Amino acid sequence: MNEHSVNTKCVQGGYRPGNGEPRQIPIIQSTTFKYDTSEEMGKLFDLEADGYFYSRLANPTCDTVAAKISELEGGVAAMLTGSGQSANFFALFNICEAGSHIVSSASIYGGTFNLISVTMKKMGIDVTFVSPDASDEELDAAFRENTRAMFGETIANPALTVLDIEKFAAAAHRHGVPLIIDNTFPTPVNCRPIEWGADIVTHSTTKYMDGHGAGIGGVIVDSGNFDWMAHADKYPGLTTPDDSYHGVVYATKFGKGAYIAKATSQLMRDLGCVQSPQNAFLLNLGLESLHVRMPRHVENGLAVARFLEASDKVNYVNYSGLESDKYYSIAQKYLPNGGCGVVSFEIKGGREAAEKFMKNLKLAAIETHVADARTCCLNPATSTHRQLTDEQLAAAGIPAGLIRMSCGLEDKEDLINDIRQALDAI
């Protein structure tokens, strides 16, 4: 469906039912698959034939939804995972090992920051964090001989910085490594990082792609553009024989599909962060309306951001759709149709004022969630970061009065009225 728009791909991508077949994708709720002979199954274990034998590695429902997301992002192959966190881990670990090094934007989701800086460090994988606003010279200085990947987020959660994808891609490619971009917040409806030079794209499908708080999941999409064999010495896992699969060389056997083939055959086999067929089915239902929902999220986010910017009870607002925002110009390049519905802002009066504001909201729910059909919000100082003092919060760039609000699909005037009365209560 390459000739069709992203809107049509949201609805019909990935699945082409034949005559008399189900219109909706079938849920193949089975752990195993039957074969008539051991020889037939053996070909699957040897990667000599396509098919399914155990749903920890691959499942038809999951593969169908992965194919749709691959089409949306302009990739050649994709793999669903059990969560967005596992998608980012697999995306990096598929090409890194003990002794490797990663260059990452410092402005990324806290969970991913900890994954890279703490957990993967325990595995012998080092990281250098760089500012999303770093110059070419600063980016180049971060790379080492053992650097194997560069990572960033299109729109960072919760900082809402907008990454200069072309600049980061150019830096990665100057040093012979792929750029991995987490595109969760804008989704492929509002930005397709592969078109700007990214090599691999990840998502927490739990967020806008699902859009209804129904199922946790993640996805990895490979562009097929990075030439692994041209950098064979850096990526032996892809360019030398894999003894656990009878000596297969992924880059040779699978060509542009090598990266996802290895991630499925090795990492999913051994680590098992699988997405369930039921969750994949729910995810597909969300994808079918993604192109309709995202413009409303953007519309509501911008309306709320403008209202907050004009309030004398708010110190500042972060939203790249505002002309006053630091990232407005770069957002116009990468996100001409808008970014997402997430807005962050600092209320005057610190922790006490933020607590009172949150307590008085009627429509917006207090949740550790974003990118949902229903508006939700969070005050990090009293929830996710409550162990920190006000001084520590300020040092981390998360002042005690900071609110992260994810604007849903409600009427924007109702959202603004709810925010107004909550601010008035302070």
Side-chain angles (χ1 to χ4, degrees):
M1 297 185 71
N2 287 338
E3 71 279 8
H4 294 114
S5 74
V6 69
N7 299 342
T8 300
K9 290 175 182 177
C10 281
V11 181
Q12 297 208 23
Y15 180 55
R16 321 281 192 271
N19 186 47
E21 292 182 343
R23 175 64 270 188
Q24 184 55 273
I25 65 170
I27 304 173
I28 309 300
Q29 193 66 47
S30 180
T31 60
T32 53
F33 301 82
K34 173 189 173 293
Y35 288 89
D36 292 335
T37 67
S38 296
E39 287 79 11
E40 289 178 283
M41 183 171 283
K43 290 179 181 178
L44 297 174
F45 276 91
D46 288 344
L47 303 181
E48 294 294 338
D50 293 328
Y52 302 92
F53 54 89
Y54 196 58
S55 281
R56 188 178 77 239
L57 279 90
N59 173 279
T61 307
C62 294
D63 280 359
T64 298
V65 181
K68 172 178 281 191
I69 298 173
S70 182
E71 287 185 22
L72 289 171
E73 285 288 8
V76 297
M79 179 183 78
L80 296 188
T81 63
S83 67
Q85 193 77 324
S86 59
N88 282 332
F89 173 60
F90 276 19
L92 290 164
F93 196 57
N94 200 34
I95 51 177
C96 293
E97 59 187 18
S100 296
H101 173 254
I102 297 164
V103 176
S104 174
S105 168
S107 187
I108 57 175
Y109 169 57
T112 310
F113 191 98
N114 287 338
L115 166 69
I116 299 172
S117 65
V118 179
T119 301
M120 294 185 75
K121 196 160 190 174
K122 291 177 181 177
M123 302 167 72
I125 300 168
D126 204 359
V127 61
T128 297
F129 289 104
V130 296
S131 167
D133 308 320
S135 66
D136 288 339
E137 293 73 22
E138 289 169 327
L139 292 180
D140 286 335
F143 285 84
R144 303 176 187 171
E145 192 69 28
N146 60 335
T147 303
R148 297 294 178 263
M150 193 177 202
F151 181 84
E153 295 179 1
T154 311
I155 301 176
N157 174 20
L160 302 183
T161 56
V162 180
L163 197 73
D164 190 338
I165 301 171
E166 276 194 319
K167 182 170 72 174
F168 271 62
H173 297 158
R174 280 197 300 274
H175 295 273
V177 305
L179 173 63
I180 302 173
I181 291 289
D182 184 326
N183 196 38
T184 296
F185 269 9
T187 82
V189 171
N190 285 338
C191 183
R192 286 174 289 284
I194 290 171
E195 296 177 0
W196 298 102
D199 300 288
I200 296 152
V201 175
T202 64
H203 288 268
S204 170
T205 63
T206 315
K207 308 306 190 297
Y208 285 121
M209 283 189 167
D210 173 287
H212 301 84
I216 289 176
V219 68
I220 307 169
V221 181
D222 180 26
S223 69
N225 293 334
F226 193 82
D227 189 344
W228 304 107
M229 291 304 291
H231 307 282
D233 58 323
K234 292 184 177 181
Y235 304 103
L238 282 156
T239 62
T240 61
D242 178 3
D243 292 337
S244 70
Y245 268 115
H246 312 289
V248 64
V249 178
Y250 295 100
T252 301
K253 185 172 183 62
F254 297 101
K256 287 183 175 293
Y259 177 87
I260 293 297
K262 178 180 179 293
T264 302
S265 303
Q266 256 188 20
L267 299 189
M268 195 61 83
R269 174 197 66 189
D270 294 343
L271 299 174
C273 301
V274 65
Q275 186 169 149
S276 74
Q278 181 67 52
N279 275 14
F281 177 85
L282 294 172
L283 168 58
N284 188 63
L285 291 180
L287 289 169
E288 289 179 350
S289 64
L290 183 63
H291 61 299
V292 179
R293 291 185 286 109
M294 286 308 295
R296 172 57 75 91
H297 283 297
V298 170
E299 178 186 349
N300 285 356
L302 182 58
V304 164
R306 284 176 173 162
F307 171 78
L308 289 166
E309 188 178 41
S311 172
D312 59 5
K313 295 191 176 183
V314 174
N315 280 328
Y316 66 83
V317 181
N318 293 325
Y319 190 75
S320 64
L322 292 175
E323 291 82 352
S324 60
D325 191 85
K326 177 181 179 180
Y327 295 96
Y328 178 76
S329 295
I330 197 168
Q332 294 304 296
K333 173 180 177 179
Y334 294 111
L335 306 160
N337 297 319
C340 63
V342 182
V343 181
S344 67
F345 55 99
E346 184 191 11
I347 292 180
K348 294 178 181 177
R351 185 187 300 262
E352 184 179 347
E355 286 181 350
K356 195 160 190 179
F357 171 80
M358 300 280 283
K359 189 179 294 184
N360 281 280
L361 288 169
K362 309 298 182 186
L363 274 178
I366 301 172
E367 301 175 17
T368 53
H369 189 43
V370 284
D372 191 86
R374 296 158 290 262
T375 295
C376 51
C377 62
L378 193 71
N379 170 226
T382 55
S383 55
T384 55
H385 293 68
R386 67 180 295 118
Q387 73 277 13
L388 303 183
T389 65
D390 285 5
E391 292 73 22
Q392 290 172 323
L393 286 165
I398 309 170
L402 187 76
I403 304 290
R404 181 190 69 185
M405 179 168 285
S406 174
C407 299
L409 302 178
E410 302 91 346
D411 186 280
K412 61 187 175 186
E413 292 303 323
D414 289 336
L415 293 179
I416 289 171
N417 288 334
D418 188 34
I419 294 168
R420 180 185 288 111
Q421 63 84 27
L423 287 173
D424 288 343
I426 298 174

